[in-house]
Amino acid sequence: MTLSFWFDFASTYSYPAAMRIEQLARERAVPLSWNAFLLSRIFRAQGWDDSPFNLYPVKGRYMWRDLERICEAQRLPFRRPSQFPRNGLLAARIACRFSKETWIPAFVRAVYHANFAEDQDIADRSVIANCLRSVNQDAESGLEAATSAETKIILREQTERAVDLGIFGAPSFIAGQELFWGNDRLEQALMWCQRR
Amino acid sequence: MTLSFWFDFASTYSYPAAMRIEQLARERAVPLSWNAFLLSRIFRAQGWDDSPFNLYPVKGRYMWRDLERICEAQRLPFRRPSQFPRNGLLAARIACRFSKETWIPAFVRAVYHANFAEDQDIADRSVIANCLRSVNQDAESGLEAATSAETKIILREQTERAVDLGIFGAPSFIAGQELFWGNDRLEQALMWCQRR
């Protein structure tokens, strides 16, 4: 059974999930699918015009400390982004357009690394160009494909599919009919795939 | 280092935490303190007049399924309460007033069991009287102490202390200066106590 990984490039807890999911899935022989979507669109439909971590500062304060502890335990580099949430639209379009390419997992990790370890602005074309180059892809053609009308539709439909699947946060994992939400549910989601 | 366990009797994820915390802490030789508080007061201060699981039905739908899976894995009986959230004020007053008594952990578990395994209304005096009797306490004097002016103040101050500690949800765990939120952070919080 394939595990569908749903992630948003601005989402903090998607960072540790994205960095470890491929290895964990491989160890358990669970096939993965990579599904970028735009959480901000789902938030907006709920009446939030910003991340709940900004709207509810007490929760936000906790999240940053919690994330720091998680990264420490996972030995992941972490630098709190000077801007949050960052606009992950461009990266999400590329991840959607090329979702089945073998270089996508490494590209996704490169974008998360830029945002959460290097404090780089992933809305910036040159940052994403570097991420593409780091996985041996041609930056210009990748960026061009990302801004095509066709790609915009793919991402919009992917986000609509997330809503249809009951997704309301990121990271989310779908195993068959089961939805799991949060980095801390990754192992459980993988187990669900293995048992079936 | 003592682990402070902060719980709300209406809170769904506090149920599996309350049922397993004493044994886990004992195995790790971590002393526990039991701190009931009223999450609804904190929610109200954030502008919510109901549980976020009711205000955001998609999130609520997920939570019930997630809780069901957790209870199944933990072999905990679970029946979705026909009313949610239930009013845990009376039980919280008793848990606050007698927080250091040896029977409190068992009383807390009895209340959670009534709410989440038996679908009983824990706002009902007779339900709480049964919980008191199940831990060999005199029901009448327990209920009487719960409604005293002094006890009301204790619970109010305890809830204010929760806010001061940065608590915004339940269950929460405090180990020294560190806050951990959620049933799935219990092991990590215990480990924090053991390392110090």
Side-chain angles (χ1 to χ4, degrees):
Chain A
M1 186 187 269
T2 296
L3 185 66
S4 300
F5 174 37
W6 290 79
F7 55 94
D8 174 294
F9 283 111
S11 148
T12 51
Y13 288 111
S14 294
Y15 169 47
M19 299 316 256
R20 67 203 188 97
I21 192 169
E22 197 177 34
Q23 194 183 328
L24 289 183
R26 195 184 299 129
E27 287 166 5
R28 290 158 177 77
V30 172
L32 273 183
S33 82
W34 294 71
N35 306 270
F37 73 109
L38 292 183
L39 190 53
S40 58
R41 292 214 184 133
I42 295 182
F43 284 166
R44 222 173 294 144
Q46 281 185 177
W48 297 337
D49 59 356
D50 196 351
S51 161
F53 295 128
N54 290 338
L55 295 173
Y56 304 102
V58 176
K59 203 167 178 173
R61 210 152 35 236
Y62 170 77
M63 178 278 291
W64 290 114
R65 175 62 185 138
D66 189 44
L67 186 64
E68 196 172 55
R69 287 188 305 230
I70 289 168
C71 291
E72 205 180 293
Q74 212 173 306
R75 294 170 194 277
L76 267 183
F78 173 68
R79 196 193 307 170
R80 179 170 167 174
S82 51
Q83 187 196 345
F84 175 80
R86 284 232 163 83
N87 185 338
L89 178 65
L90 183 62
R93 282 180 177 159
I94 293 175
C96 259
R97 170 69 181 76
F98 298 105
S99 65
K100 289 187 176 60
E101 301 296 328
T102 54
W103 52 270
I104 276 296
F107 169 76
V108 170
R109 287 190 292 266
V111 175
Y112 278 110
H113 182 86
N115 192 1
F116 292 104
E118 304 283 349
D119 190 20
Q120 292 176 4
D121 187 0
I122 57 169
D124 187 325
R125 284 173 68 91
S126 68
V127 169
I128 298 304
N130 280 337
C131 292
L132 283 165
R133 279 184 215 108
S134 76
V135 296
N136 302 313
Q137 294 306 301
D138 181 69
E140 275 321 300
S141 62
L143 289 170
E144 200 173 314
T147 46
S148 75
E150 189 201 344
T151 302
K152 290 178 184 178
I153 291 169
I154 295 176
L155 177 59
R156 204 166 305 142
E157 287 180 348
Q158 180 108 304
T159 299
E160 276 162 27
R161 199 149 66 88
V163 173
D164 291 343
L165 288 165
I167 289 174
F168 56 88
S172 289
F173 312 99
I174 301 226
Q177 301 297 312
E178 296 288 320
L179 170 64
F180 298 88
W181 171 50
N183 172 56
D184 41 32
R185 292 292 188 281
L186 173 52
E187 283 81 356
Q188 196 190 356
L190 284 164
M191 236 191 314
W192 201 273
C193 291
Q194 288 178 284
R195 273 193 287 168
R196 268 134 196 115
Chain B
M1 185 187 270
T2 297
L3 184 66
S4 301
F5 173 37
W6 290 79
F7 55 94
D8 173 294
F9 283 110
S11 148
T12 50
Y13 287 111
S14 294
Y15 168 48
M19 299 316 257
R20 67 203 188 98
I21 193 169
E22 197 176 33
Q23 193 184 330
L24 289 182
R26 195 183 299 130
E27 287 165 6
R28 290 158 177 79
V30 172
L32 273 183
S33 82
W34 294 71
N35 306 270
F37 72 109
L38 292 183
L39 189 54
S40 58
R41 293 216 182 130
I42 296 182
F43 284 166
R44 221 173 294 144
Q46 280 185 178
W48 297 338
D49 59 356
D50 197 350
S51 161
F53 295 128
N54 290 338
L55 295 173
Y56 304 102
V58 177
K59 203 165 177 174
R61 210 151 38 233
Y62 171 76
M63 178 277 291
W64 290 113
R65 176 62 186 139
D66 189 43
L67 186 63
E68 197 172 52
R69 287 189 305 231
I70 290 169
C71 290
E72 204 179 292
Q74 213 173 303
R75 294 170 194 276
L76 268 183
F78 173 69
R79 196 192 306 170
R80 180 170 165 172
S82 50
Q83 189 196 344
F84 175 80
R86 283 231 164 82
N87 186 337
L89 178 64
L90 183 62
R93 282 179 177 159
I94 294 176
C96 259
R97 170 69 181 75
F98 299 104
S99 65
K100 291 188 175 59
E101 301 295 330
T102 53
W103 52 270
I104 276 296
F107 169 75
V108 169
R109 286 191 291 267
V111 175
Y112 277 110
H113 182 85
N115 192 1
F116 292 105
E118 303 283 349
D119 190 21
Q120 293 176 4
D121 187 0
I122 56 169
D124 187 325
R125 284 172 69 92
S126 67
V127 169
I128 298 305
N130 280 338
C131 292
L132 283 165
R133 278 184 217 111
S134 76
V135 297
N136 302 314
Q137 295 306 302
D138 182 68
E140 276 319 300
S141 61
L143 290 171
E144 201 174 314
T147 46
S148 76
E150 188 201 346
T151 302
K152 290 178 183 177
I153 291 168
I154 294 175
L155 177 59
R156 204 167 305 141
E157 287 180 348
Q158 179 107 306
T159 299
E160 277 162 26
R161 199 149 66 89
V163 174
D164 292 344
L165 289 165
I167 289 173
F168 57 88
S172 288
F173 312 98
I174 302 226
Q177 302 296 312
E178 295 289 321
L179 168 64
F180 298 87
W181 171 49
N183 172 57
D184 41 32
R185 293 293 188 279
L186 173 52
E187 282 81 357
Q188 196 190 356
L190 284 164
M191 235 189 317
W192 201 273
C193 290
Q194 288 178 284
R195 272 193 288 168
R196 268 137 195 112

